[in-house]
Amino acid sequence: MRLLRTMTVVLALVAAALPGVAFAAPTAPYDAFILNGRHSVAITPDNGTITLTHWPSGGPGTGREAVQIEVETTDQNPSTRRYYSMWIFAPYDQQIVAGTFPVSRISPEYELRVDGDGGCLAGDGTLIIRSISRDANNWITSLSFWHKEGDASCTQGAGGPQWGEVRWHAPDGYVEAVQSDAMVDFGDVDLGMGPQPHAASRTVTFTGAGTSPLQLGAASVEGTGASAFAIKGNTCTQSAIGYGQTCSIGVVATPTAVGTYEAQVKIPDNSQNQYRIVKLKMTVHAGAEGTYRPVSPFRLLDTREGNGAPKAPLGGGRTLHLQVTGRGYVPLSTVSAVVLNVTVTGPTSAGYLTLYPTGVGRPTASSLNFPAGWTGANSVTVPVGANGQVDIFNAAGNVHIIADVMGYYLAYDDTHQSTAGQYWPTQPQRLLDSRDPAFGGPLRPFEYVKIPVSYGAEYNSHIRALAVNITAVTPTMGGFVTAWNGFDQRPNASTLNFTPGSVVPNLAVVPTAWCYECGGNGYPSIGVGNYSSGSTHIVVDIFGFYDDGQIPGGLRFHPLTPTRIVDTRDGLGAGTFTGAGTKTVTAPPSVAGDDTYALVANVTGVDPANSTYLSLWATGGTKPTVSNLNLTPHEVRPNAAFVPVGPGNKFNVFNAAWKVDVVIDVSGTFEFLPGSVPAAQAAGLAQQGPLRASSTGTPERQPLR
């Protein structure tokens, strides 16, 4: 008949550990069950039950002397009970004695088993039995030991080593602590734009559980994924925590590339194990931040009609708060910036508008300059500010303002998906010039043209919008141009306004549709319509496209409060052009960094002595054959531009003729998302230049309906 004896220690009181408060340390003899590693728990008579069962003549089915320690704890939460069990088996024909022994789960020598929450299979380890006492009948009356298992696989929780101190009616003191987390899993994390402001930090707390203070050394992050984590906030290093006292270490995720990262925080100490460890893990995704969603143009503001603001012109020195989120296909949240086509009409004096995020100080920048009596437009990319609003400041006079939203850029939203589009810069090319005799003359009154483009089958089916510069040239009567996908109902919005005989450019990001009649098997295309009783020539130049987020290698938008980097009138960035020539500008660190590919800018020509044009391109590249801004004598005219930068974040500005001043304000950048594409692919785009259209298809003229 197998003999066994069970003894239990039970006490229902629960002691909560409070930071900085020292509870009375346990007194001998000691009863404690402390685990760290895969689990972390301290069970004493204060918060659970500890039971020792002794089989002096052989544990179940083994014929070997065995001891089982069983514990149950509420973990200070009566609704959650946790169970642990630990076995020690002596070698065959021997008794359990004090000493240091190598152990494994199944061994002819000492065998150690630790089972509990997590379902782990133990590996090899070490057992140090400090003391053991028996009565006259050979029953164990006290037991003191430290144990450590090697790496193990677990069906739940953290894998890896597990160690701790166990006491039952023992005289031996011990140095130990428990930690709030054995593993910190950040889960899914989005790779943000620029420094990582988005990954939430985690804090691990250590609570002294020994009879003597735990002395802690300097914490460090180790492992293959160590570069993706950082310690932030640390009250443990070089501290000592007694029984019931706490210290904590904060860890923040700092990934720089997509992928799965694993590491651990390690802190040396004076315990038998000699260190604490906290495993770290996260999976990093590209996310949606900085991607773009085009929308069918929607009118958010028209002061002539009281849409979006009171029905009245905006006075000089006044600021209008325009609600942009939650309106016109723009969601209420997760928006970092909007692309607006802003039109002024009927200004009583020369002036300018500045658009900027609500809630920040008005910057020294302009978004649209105008003379008295002028009607004109400019594309403006502006970060969204407080309450989903942007501010519009009018410098002088009274002016009516119209704003149509063309699309929006996504902010960080913790969805870990990239469902919107990235930007692909392309070599500037002319898609349409109605002055070419092959086209058949200017667009007639109320006529539009479908304009296709092809970058090959790899890209065409993914293209969702084109970034184009549209210029109306010498219209015979006043009117406006509207650009849209050319198939859906024409939106109630204008892309640019013109007067007879003028040359008016405007950058536009235009949604695409598939045009089957435009050549080949069909191409992505846009529609450009002439809304005038007269005819006008149309010139369309492409600078890039936006994809559907399904192909790797594009660029992400990073919003900035509008920042002036060039004003040749004051010598900022460059000096005044005194004639034809090229100037090189360095984008300052305040707007451009190591991952910057292009600037989202407003380029303004000021008081040219005669007609001229400006072209901007990356230093080290080839001067494009198209222009960014056309100017007539003595005007002040802006146009939005996506300006690539070369090595050192330098770019060139070319002036075709005559004296002219140039002002450049930056409201964002296009960036490589670090690690989201292979380094060689990103380097290829930066060094070899952007894509070139393989075909421009056949433009298709149709009357407006």
Side-chain angles (χ1 to χ4, degrees):
M1 175 177 156
R2 181 174 293 127
L3 298 175
L4 64 90
R5 184 167 65 172
T6 300
M7 296 187 69
T8 303
V9 177
V10 182
L11 189 61
L13 298 178
V14 176
L18 299 176
V21 177
F23 290 85
T27 58
Y30 302 113
D31 292 283
F33 181 95
I34 303 172
L35 283 180
N36 276 302
R38 300 193 300 268
H39 314 287
S40 190
V41 63
I43 302 172
T44 69
D46 288 336
N47 66 347
T49 64
I50 303 174
T51 303
L52 182 145
T53 304
H54 179 207
W55 280 269
S57 60
T62 66
R64 304 161 68 181
E65 183 179 38
V67 168
Q68 182 186 19
I69 306 290
E70 293 179 286
V71 296
E72 177 181 350
T73 179
T74 60
D75 274 352
Q76 300 177 10
N77 181 355
S79 65
T80 304
R81 305 185 71 83
R82 300 178 71 180
Y83 301 87
Y84 296 89
S85 177
M86 178 175 290
W87 290 82
I88 298 175
F89 291 89
Y92 289 103
D93 301 321
Q94 295 184 31
Q95 285 189 325
I96 297 172
V97 297
T100 300
F101 310 100
V103 294
S104 67
R105 189 174 178 87
I106 300 176
S107 170
E109 304 301 324
Y110 272 90
E111 179 183 339
L112 176 68
R113 301 180 187 176
V114 182
D115 298 305
D117 295 352
C120 295
L121 299 176
D124 295 339
T126 299
L127 173 66
I128 300 176
I129 299 178
R130 289 196 172 85
S131 67
I132 183 170
S133 63
R134 300 172 184 268
D135 63 15
N137 296 317
N138 210 32
W139 292 105
I140 293 175
T141 56
S142 72
L143 182 62
S144 164
F145 65 90
W146 176 86
H147 67 94
K148 181 176 183 178
E149 296 177 273
D151 287 337
S153 60
C154 300
T155 57
Q156 303 174 22
Q162 181 164 277
W163 70 92
E165 299 277 3
V166 178
R167 300 289 185 274
W168 189 75
H169 295 5
D172 306 281
Y174 51 95
V175 175
E176 259 300 355
V178 295
Q179 56 203 63
S180 57
D181 298 278
M183 168 178 274
V184 174
D185 189 347
F186 285 81
D188 293 318
V189 174
D190 276 0
L191 189 65
M193 303 298 299
Q196 299 298 305
H198 309 309
S201 62
R202 304 287 191 270
T203 299
V204 179
T205 300
F206 299 86
T207 303
T211 60
S212 298
L214 182 75
Q215 305 283 342
L216 293 161
S220 60
V221 182
E222 301 178 350
T224 57
S227 62
F229 303 94
I231 294 173
K232 184 179 181 181
N234 177 0
T235 64
C236 290
T237 293
Q238 308 305 332
S239 69
I241 54 173
Y243 183 81
Q245 293 182 317
T246 64
C247 68
S248 61
I249 291 180
V251 183
V252 63
T254 58
T256 58
V258 296
T260 297
Y261 296 87
E262 294 185 0
Q264 67 181 23
V265 174
K266 187 173 183 179
I267 316 165
D269 65 22
N270 64 327
S271 71
Q272 178 67 48
N273 194 58
Q274 299 183 334
Y275 59 83
R276 312 278 104 189
I277 60 171
V278 181
K279 289 183 172 283
L280 308 173
K281 184 179 181 181
M282 69 177 164
T283 301
V284 181
H285 305 264
E289 184 178 12
T291 57
Y292 181 75
R293 285 201 178 114
V295 300
S296 181
F298 184 91
R299 185 145 292 175
L300 297 179
L301 173 68
D302 191 338
T303 60
R304 301 169 303 179
E305 300 177 358
N307 175 18
K311 185 178 180 180
L314 183 62
R318 302 291 299 275
T319 299
L320 182 156
H321 304 298
L322 176 63
Q323 183 69 41
V324 295
T325 62
R327 303 177 61 212
Y329 315 111
V330 179
L332 192 59
S333 61
T334 71
V335 176
S336 67
V338 289
V339 178
L340 302 175
N341 197 61
V342 181
T343 303
V344 297
T345 185
T348 58
S349 69
Y352 64 87
L353 301 181
T354 299
L355 278 74
Y356 58 100
T358 299
V360 304
R362 176 166 54 88
T364 301
S366 62
S367 305
L368 175 56
N369 298 72
F370 48 83
W374 187 71
T375 297
N378 194 29
S379 178
V380 180
T381 300
V382 57
V384 173
N387 302 315
Q389 296 180 335
V390 300
D391 282 357
I392 303 176
F393 169 77
N394 174 35
N398 297 322
V399 62
H400 278 294
I401 306 171
I402 301 101
D404 302 313
V405 63
M406 315 301 288
Y408 59 92
Y409 291 98
L410 290 173
Y412 176 79
D413 63 0
D414 203 27
T415 62
H416 319 300
Q417 299 178 12
S418 179
T419 56
Q422 300 184 117
Y423 177 66
W424 289 77
T426 64
Q427 293 187 37
Q429 288 176 261
R430 186 144 288 173
L431 300 183
L432 173 71
D433 189 340
S434 65
R435 296 170 299 183
D436 184 341
F439 183 70
L443 282 188
R444 293 178 285 271
F446 303 102
E447 183 180 46
Y448 81 106
V449 56
K450 293 179 181 177
I451 305 171
V453 66
S454 173
Y455 288 94
E458 178 183 359
Y459 299 101
N460 284 350
S461 63
H462 297 284
I463 294 175
R464 295 294 179 265
L466 304 183
V468 292
N469 205 52
I470 301 173
T471 306
V473 181
T474 60
T476 61
M477 297 185 67
F480 63 91
V481 167
T482 291
W484 79 111
N485 67 16
F487 283 82
D488 296 336
Q489 182 177 356
R490 180 187 68 83
N492 179 31
S494 61
T495 303
L496 61 87
N497 299 71
F498 52 76
T499 56
S502 59
V503 178
V504 182
N506 198 14
L507 182 74
V509 178
V510 186
T512 60
W514 199 260
C515 180
Y516 291 98
E517 62 267 33
C518 295
N521 295 319
Y523 298 133
S525 68
I526 62 173
V528 177
N530 171 29
Y531 287 82
S532 169
S533 298
S535 61
T536 183
H537 281 294
I538 296 292
V539 177
V540 179
D541 300 317
I542 188 167
F543 292 89
F545 65 78
Y546 291 83
D547 66 19
D548 57 2
Q550 302 303 308
I551 48 178
L555 303 173
R556 303 292 186 97
F557 177 75
H558 178 60
L560 296 169
T561 298
T563 303
R564 180 153 293 175
I565 66 168
V566 173
D567 189 339
T568 62
R569 299 170 299 181
D570 300 328
L572 175 64
T576 299
F577 283 95
T578 57
T582 300
K583 294 182 182 293
T584 298
V585 176
T586 300
S590 59
V591 300
D594 293 340
D595 297 313
T596 301
Y597 184 89
L599 310 177
V600 177
N602 191 55
V603 181
T604 305
V606 180
D607 194 26
N610 211 326
S611 295
T612 186
Y613 67 86
L614 304 177
S615 294
L616 293 84
W617 74 99
T619 300
T622 303
K623 177 180 172 296
T625 58
V626 301
S627 61
N628 295 97
L629 177 60
N630 297 76
L631 298 166
T632 57
H634 305 296
E635 69 173 345
V636 178
R637 183 180 294 277
N639 196 28
F642 296 163
V643 185
V645 296
N649 290 323
K650 298 180 183 293
F651 63 94
N652 295 328
V653 182
F654 170 76
N655 172 45
W658 309 103
K659 178 181 178 181
V660 65
D661 279 303
V662 178
V663 176
I664 300 177
D665 300 312
V666 176
S667 61
T669 58
F670 284 117
E671 308 272 336
F672 289 112
L673 189 63
S676 62
V677 296
Q681 187 174 355
L685 180 58
Q687 295 173 8
Q688 300 172 15
L691 298 168
R692 181 175 178 82
S694 58
S695 172
T696 55
T698 304
E700 181 76 17
R701 300 169 70 131
Q702 295 186 21
L704 285 162
R705 296 184 292 274

